[in-house]
C-alpha cells in the first residue's frame, strides 16, 4: 500500500520553476530516497508534504485522502538546517515541540525520558540548548522529530554534522524505526547511505523527476555486464582464456592475486569459467553493479 | 486553536520568567516616580540662581532724585538681584566672573524714558531669568507712570494689575464643567502609554520573529502549525506580557508613591502648589474664595467630572487594537531580517505614522475637535494615540464608531498582509528582499 502519493505536482516561484509535473509513490514501510543535486526541488517537495507550502497544481495524498492539516501529527520532519530555541531548556523545549505535534505534556515527558535514557543524555534535560555542542543539539532534534511516533518520517540530510559513531547510531535508529513500521523519506547526497538503507529512490533534477525505482532494479538497469574475476597471479595470460564476445577491460596484480575486470556476453559465463579453471583456480567471481554514486552522476549529466 | 494556546503559553512564560522582565517591572515604577521627582528636586536646589547686579542710574540726572527701581526688583528662583551704585565696579565684578549679569538702567529723553543695558559674561543667565527681570522693569515703570503722571491711586493700580478674567466653561448640553487641562493631561497620558506600548513590544516582536528565523527552528514549527497561527500566537503572547507588565507597573508605582508619601510627606507640597496655579484657570470668578479654602477640591471635582468608564473602555480598545495593527507589521518585518540584512528599511515606513501622531499631539491637544484631530483620529495608524487624546473632551459617537470600525478593518488587513509576507519570508535565506519581491508574495496562493 502507498502511504504517500504525489500526483503531477507543479510549483513555480516568481522567477523559476521549483517542481515541474512530478509524480511519485512511497510504499508503506519502506525507506525511500529522495535524491537530487542542490536546488533540484527536493526541499520544495518536502515542504509540500509538510504542508508548509502548497502545490500550484497537482495533489499530494496520504494513504488515500488528500493531505490535510490534521495529518501533520502523522508526519515527523527533520529539516536540513536544524535549529532549536537557544535559550530554552532542552527538556522543556522537547515537550513544547511534542505538544505542537499533538502529544499531551505528560505523555511527551514520559516518552522523552525513555529516549533520553536510551541515548544516555538524561543529564541534558535541564541544560539550555546553547550549552550543548552542535552534535548534541542534533541528537535532541532527532528525538523531537520521532517522539510522536509518526507514520511517515522525513529526514533531510540527517547525517550531516554527525561524527561516524553518531552517524552509525542514527542509522541503526532509522532502521529500527522502519522495523517498527514507520515509512521513511530520506533526502540526501550521501549515496553510500542510500545504497545501505534505501529500498527505492526518486532522482529529481532541475524540478523534474529523471529516475525512479527500487534500488536493486535501478542497479540492474545500469549494469554493463561487467564481472570481476580474482585468480592467483600465476604466469598465464587472461586474454587468451577469453571466449569470443568477452573483453578484458583491465587486469592488475596485487599481492599474488590477479584481479581482472571484463565484460561477458550473456550466456557465456559457464564457458569462461570452465576455460579459466583448466589453467588455474578461481578465488572469487562476481558481477559488478554500478554504485548509486555513479548512477547519480551519470543520470544527472546525461540529463544535461 | 488549541495549538495557538500552546504558542501563547510559551511566548508568555519564557518572557515573564526572564530576568529582564523582573528588572523592568521593578525599574519601571522607579523610573516613572523619579521622572516625577526630578523636576521637584531640581527646583529645590538653588545652585542655578544667577547673581544679577542692578545699577540704577535713573536718579542721577540733575536734579538728583530717588532712583526709580532701587530695591524694587525682586529676586526669584533663578535670579538673585543685588544693587550697586558704581557701574564700573559692577562691570569689574562681572569680568572676573563673580556675577552673571549687570543691568544698567538709565533715564532717557525718549519714549519710554527709561533705557536699560544688559551686560553678561561667560555664563549668561537663563532666558527666563532675563524675561522675568524685563517684565518686572516694565511693570514697575508702568506703575510709576500711572501713579505720578496720571495720578492714579495705589489702590486703583493694584486693581488694574490684579484681575485676570477667567473662563468658567460649562457644556451647554450636559451642564458639566470643562476642566480642559485635566482632560488634556489624561488624554496625553493615555496616548503616550499606547505609543510606548506599541514601540517597546513591537520591537520585541521583530526580535523574536527574526531569532526564530535565524535559529532555523521556524521550519520545524511551521511543519506543526500554520505560519499565521504561529504569528498570531506570538502577537497575543507578547500582548499579554505587556498587559501584565503595565498592570504591575501601575500597582508598583502606587506602592512606591504611597511609600514615599508616608516616609516624606513634605515632598508632596510642591506639586500641590502647581495644582493651585492650574486651578486658577479652571475656577470661576464667583468661586475665588472657595478656592483659597480648598485648592485641591477643584482637581478632585475635575477628575470626577470625567467619564472614566468610557475612557477605560476606549483605552483598552485602542491599546490592544493599536498594538495588533503595528505588531503584526513588525512581525512581517522581523521575518524579513536575515543574518546580513537588518529590517531597518522596512521598519521606517511603519514607524512614520506613529511619529506623525506624536508630532501632531500638541496641535490636537490645543484643538481637540479641529480637522487635524478629526482626520488623525479616524486614520487607523494614528487613531490609537490621537483618539485617546480626544476622548476625554467628548467625541461624537459616529466618529468613534467610524474610527473603531476602520481600526478593525485595518487590523484585519495588516494581519492578512503580515501573514502573506511572514510565511514566505521566514523560510527565505540569503536573498536580498525588495519591495517588488514582497509585492509578488502577496499574490501567492499558498
Amino acid at each position: 500500500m502507498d502511504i504517500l502519493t504525489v500526483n503531477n505536482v507543479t510549483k513555480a516561484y516568481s522567477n523559476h520553476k521549483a517542481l515541474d509535473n512530478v509524480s511519485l509513490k512511497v510504499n508503506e514501510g519502506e525507506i525511500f530516497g529522495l535524491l537530487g543535486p542542490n536546488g533540484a526541488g527536493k526541499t520544495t517537495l518536502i515542504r509540500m508534504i509538510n504542508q508548509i507550502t502548497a502545490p500550484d497544481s497537482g495533489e499530494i495524498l496520504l494513504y488515500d485522502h488528500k493531505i490535510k492539516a490534521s495529518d501533520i501529527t502523522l508526519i515527523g520532519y527533520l529539516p536540513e538546517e536544524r535549529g532549536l530555541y537557544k535559550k530554552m531548556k532542552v527538556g522543556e523545549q522537547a515537550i513544547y515541540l511534542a505538544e505542537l505535534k499533538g502529544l499531551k505534556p505528560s505523555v511527551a515527558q514520559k516518552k522523552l525520558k525513555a529516549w533520553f535514557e536510551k541515548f544516555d543524555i538524561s543529564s541534558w534535560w535541564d541544560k539550555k540548548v546553547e550549552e550543548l555542542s552542535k552534535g548534541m543539539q542534533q541528537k535532541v532534534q532527532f528525538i523531537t522529530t520521532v517522539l510522536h511516533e509518526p507514520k511517515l518520517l522525513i529526514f533531510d540530510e540527517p547525517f550531516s554534522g554527525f561524527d561516524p559513531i553518531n552517524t552509525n547510531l542514527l542509522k541503526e535508529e532509522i532502521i529500527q524505526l522502519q522495523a517498527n513500521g514507520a515509512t521513511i523519506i530520506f533526502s540526501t547526497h550521501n549515496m553510500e547511505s542510500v545504497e545501505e538503507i534505501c529500498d527505492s529512490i526518486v532522482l529529481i533534477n532541475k524540478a523534474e523527476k529523471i529516475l525512479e525505482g527500487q534500488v536493486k532494479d535501478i542497479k540492474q538497469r545500469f549494469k554493463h555486464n561487467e564481472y570481476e574475476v580474482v585468480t592467483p597471479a600465476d604466469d598465464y595470460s587472461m586474454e587468451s582464456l577469453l571466449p569470443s564476445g568477452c573483453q578484458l577491460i583491465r587486469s592488475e596484480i596485487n599481492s599474488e592475486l590477479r584481479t581482472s575486470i571484463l565484460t561477458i556476453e550473456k550466456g557465456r559465463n559457464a564457458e569462461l569459467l570452465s576455460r579459466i579453471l583448466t589453467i588455474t583456480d578461481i578465488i572469487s567471481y562476481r558481477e559488478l553493479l554500478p554504485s548509486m554514486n555513479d548512477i547519480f552522476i551519470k543520470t544527472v549529466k546525461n540529463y544535461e | 486553536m488549541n495549538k495557538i494556546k500552546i504558542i501563547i503559553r510559551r511566548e508568555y512564560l519564557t518572557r515573564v520568567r526572564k530576568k529582564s522582565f523582573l528588572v523592568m517591572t521593578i525599574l519601571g515604577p522607579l523610573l516613572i516616580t523619579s521622572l516625577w521627582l526630578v523636576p521637584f528636586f531640581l527646583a529645590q536646589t538653588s545652585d542655578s540662581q544667577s547673581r544679577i547686579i542692578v545699577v540704577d542710574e535713573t536718579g542721577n540726572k540733575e536734579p538728583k532724585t530717588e532712583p526709580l527701581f532701587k530695591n524694587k526688583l525682586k529676586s526669584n528662583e533663578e535670579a538673585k538681584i543685588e544693587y550697586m551704585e558704581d557701574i564700573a565696579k559692577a562691570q569689574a565684578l562681572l569680568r572676573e566672573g563673580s556675577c552673571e549679569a549687570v543691568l544698567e538702567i538709565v533715564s532717557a529723553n525718549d519714549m519710554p524714558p527709561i533705557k536699560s543695558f544688559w551686560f553678561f559674561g561667560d555664563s549668561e543667565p537663563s532666558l527666563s531669568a532675563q524675561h522675568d527681570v524685563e517684565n518686572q522693569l516694565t511693570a514697575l515703570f508702568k506703575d510709576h507712570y500711572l501713579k505720578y503722571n496720571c495720578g492714579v491711586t495705589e489702590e486703583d493700580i493694584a486693581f488694574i494689575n490684579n484681575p485676570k478674567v477667567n473662563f468658567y466653561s460649562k457644556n451647554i448640553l450636559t451642564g458639566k464643567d470643562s476642566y480642559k487641562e485635566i482632560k488634556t493631561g489624561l488624554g496625553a497620558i493615555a496616548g503616550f502609554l499606547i505609543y510606548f506600548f506599541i514601540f517597546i513590544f513591537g520591537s520585541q516582536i521583530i526580535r523574536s520573529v527574526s531569532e526564530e528565523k535565524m535559529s532555523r527552528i521556524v521550519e520545524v514549527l511551521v511543519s506543526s502549525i500554520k505560519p499565521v497561527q504561529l504569528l498570531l500566537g506570538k502577537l497575543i503572547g507578547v500582548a499579554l506580557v505587556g498587559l501584565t507588565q503595565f498592570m504591575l507597573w501601575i500597582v508598583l508605582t502606587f506602592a512606591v508613591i504611597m511609600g514615599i508619601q508616608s516616609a516624606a510627606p513634605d515632598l508632596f507640597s510642591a506639586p500641590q502648589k502647581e495644582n493651585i496655579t492650574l486651578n486658577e484657570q479652571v475656577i470661576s470668578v464667583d468661586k475665588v474664595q472657595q478656592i483659597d479654602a480648598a485648592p485641591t477640591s477643584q482637581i478632585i471635582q475635575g477628575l470626577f467630572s470625567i467619564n472614566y468608564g468610557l475612557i477605560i473602555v476606549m483605552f483598552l480598545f485602542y491599546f490592544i487594537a493599536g498594538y495588533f495593527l503595528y505588531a503584526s507589521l513588525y512581525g512581517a518585518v522581523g521575518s524579513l531580517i536575515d543574518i546580513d540584512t537588518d529590517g531597518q528599511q522596512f521598519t521606517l515606513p511603519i514607524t512614520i505614522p506613529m511619529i506623525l501622531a506624536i508630532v501632531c499631539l500638541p496641535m490636537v491637544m490645543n484643538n481637540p475637535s479641529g480637522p487635524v484631530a478629526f482626520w488623525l483620529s479616524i486614520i487607523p495608524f494614528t487613531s490609537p494615540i490621537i483618539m485617546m487624546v480626544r476622548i476625554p473632551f467628548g467625541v461624537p459617537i459616529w466618529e468613534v464608531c467610524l474610527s473603531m470600525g476602520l481600526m478593525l478593518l485595518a487590523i484585519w488587513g495588516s494581519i492578512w498582509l503580515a501573514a502573506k509576507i511572514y510565511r514566505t519570508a521566514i523560510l527565505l535565506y540569503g536573498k536580498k528582499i525588495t519591495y517588488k519581491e514582497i509585492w509578488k508574495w502577496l499574490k501567492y496562493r499558498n
Side-chain angles (χ1 to χ4, degrees), chain A residues 79-214:
Chain A
E80 181 176 4
E81 297 281 357
R82 318 290 152 69
L84 295 165
Y85 287 112
K86 292 195 168 46
K87 305 266 178 207
M88 215 173 163
K89 284 178 181 162
V90 173
E92 201 182 337
Q93 176 152 213
I95 290 176
Y96 172 65
L97 293 174
E99 271 187 89
L100 287 180
K101 282 289 188 189
L103 284 187
K104 284 209 180 81
S106 55
V107 179
Q109 173 136 5
K110 224 165 114 189
K111 287 186 178 208
L112 277 168
K113 293 276 184 196
W115 272 101
F116 274 48
E117 259 164 48
K118 186 175 182 181
F119 276 16
D120 199 19
I121 56 172
S122 299
S123 59
W124 298 356
W125 188 270
D126 273 328
K127 277 193 177 154
K128 280 186 183 171
V129 169
E130 61 188 354
E131 293 171 49
L132 305 182
S133 75
K134 211 174 169 206
M136 291 157 119
Q137 292 182 20
Q138 306 250 37
K139 263 189 190 170
V140 174
Q141 191 143 24
F142 177 80
I143 294 173
T144 63
T145 309
V146 302
L147 192 75
H148 59 292
E149 291 168 15
K151 294 262 180 254
L152 179 63
L153 275 161
I154 303 171
F155 294 125
D156 199 348
E157 291 292 352
F159 303 127
S160 74
F162 277 106
D163 61 36
I165 294 168
N166 281 321
T167 301
N168 222 34
L169 183 79
L170 207 60
K171 229 178 251 175
E172 279 165 20
E173 283 305 328
I174 290 174
I175 290 165
Q176 187 60 45
L177 286 166
Q178 184 196 20
N180 293 345
T183 309
I184 291 150
I185 295 177
F186 186 35
S187 164
T188 187
H189 296 127
N190 183 339
M191 291 301 141
E192 255 173 64
S193 56
V194 170
E195 238 157 295
E196 225 173 303
I197 63 177
C198 284
D199 299 308
S200 57
I201 61 126
V202 152
L203 178 57
I204 295 176
N205 188 39
K206 294 195 172 160
E208 286 180 46
K209 180 177 78 180
I210 55 172
L211 181 67
E212 72 176 320
Q214 301 261 310

Side-chain angles (χ1 to χ4, degrees), chain A residues 241 243 268-280 282:
Chain A
L241 291 172
R268 301 209 109 142
N269 289 19
E271 197 183 341
L272 172 73
L273 295 183
S274 60
R275 274 174 174 236
I276 296 171
L277 283 171
T278 57
I279 307 289
T280 181
I282 296 176

Side-chain angles (χ1 to χ4, degrees), chain B residues 114-364:
Chain B
I114 302 291
K115 288 252 180 302
S116 55
F117 301 93
W118 179 259
F119 301 100
F120 60 89
D122 283 336
S123 53
E124 197 178 357
S126 72
L127 212 57
S128 63
Q130 293 184 40
H131 278 303
D132 182 66
V133 174
E134 225 167 38
N135 288 340
Q136 284 196 52
L137 274 179
T138 312
L140 285 169
F141 173 69
K142 192 176 75 185
D143 290 358
H144 182 85
Y145 190 83
L146 285 172
K147 192 172 170 186
Y148 293 102
N149 298 51
C150 307
V152 183
T153 63
E154 276 191 41
E155 290 77 39
D156 283 342
I157 291 172
F159 185 79
I160 289 166
N161 284 339
N162 194 36
K164 175 164 189 240
V165 180
N166 290 303
F167 277 174
Y168 178 54
S169 49
K170 217 177 185 83
N171 186 319
I172 199 161
L173 300 176
T174 61
K176 282 183 180 161
D177 302 343
S178 166
Y179 303 112
K180 193 168 193 284
E181 287 76 10
I182 295 170
K183 288 177 177 177
T184 308
L186 210 63
I189 289 171
F192 264 111
L193 273 182
I194 289 176
Y195 172 77
F196 280 121
F197 183 73
I198 291 173
F199 208 69
I200 293 170
F201 291 95
S203 56
Q204 280 204 18
I205 293 278
I206 294 190
R207 206 171 47 234
S208 165
V209 169
S210 66
E211 267 173 17
E212 269 172 10
K213 178 183 179 179
M214 285 191 280
S215 76
R216 309 270 181 163
I217 192 170
V218 76
E219 187 152 5
V220 174
L221 296 178
V222 295
S223 71
S224 306
I225 183 167
K226 283 198 179 332
V228 64
Q229 289 179 310
L230 181 58
L231 182 60
L232 275 180
K234 188 179 289 295
L235 294 182
I236 296 169
V238 172
L240 291 176
V241 175
L243 286 173
T244 310
Q245 184 136 60
F246 269 115
M247 293 297 169
L248 287 173
W249 276 353
I250 290 169
V251 171
L252 283 174
T253 305
F254 268 109
V256 170
I257 290 176
M258 298 293 236
I260 293 177
Q261 195 166 24
S262 62
D266 294 352
L267 287 185
F268 284 78
S269 53
Q272 277 190 2
K273 250 187 230 158
E274 277 182 45
N275 289 346
I276 295 166
T277 56
L278 185 89
N279 272 332
E280 280 171 4
Q281 292 183 24
V282 179
I283 57 173
S284 65
V285 179
D286 55 18
K287 281 189 178 171
V288 172
Q289 281 106 357
Q290 272 186 334
I291 298 316
D292 286 340
T296 45
S297 71
Q298 278 300 313
I299 281 274
I300 291 163
Q301 267 191 28
L303 290 172
F304 272 120
S305 77
I306 289 161
N307 185 348
Y308 287 102
L310 179 74
I311 291 189
I312 289 171
V313 169
M314 286 290 127
F315 178 71
L316 283 178
F317 175 82
Y318 282 107
F319 193 70
I320 292 166
Y323 164 80
F324 275 101
L325 178 69
Y326 278 99
S328 55
L329 296 177
Y330 280 129
V333 169
S335 70
L336 296 170
I337 295 175
D338 204 347
I339 290 156
D340 44 26
T341 53
D342 59 13
Q344 212 62 46
Q345 52 164 331
F346 302 108
T347 321
L348 193 65
I350 302 174
T351 317
I352 283 174
M354 215 157 45
I355 292 172
L356 179 75
I358 290 296
V359 168
C360 293
L361 205 61
M363 217 189 294
V364 174

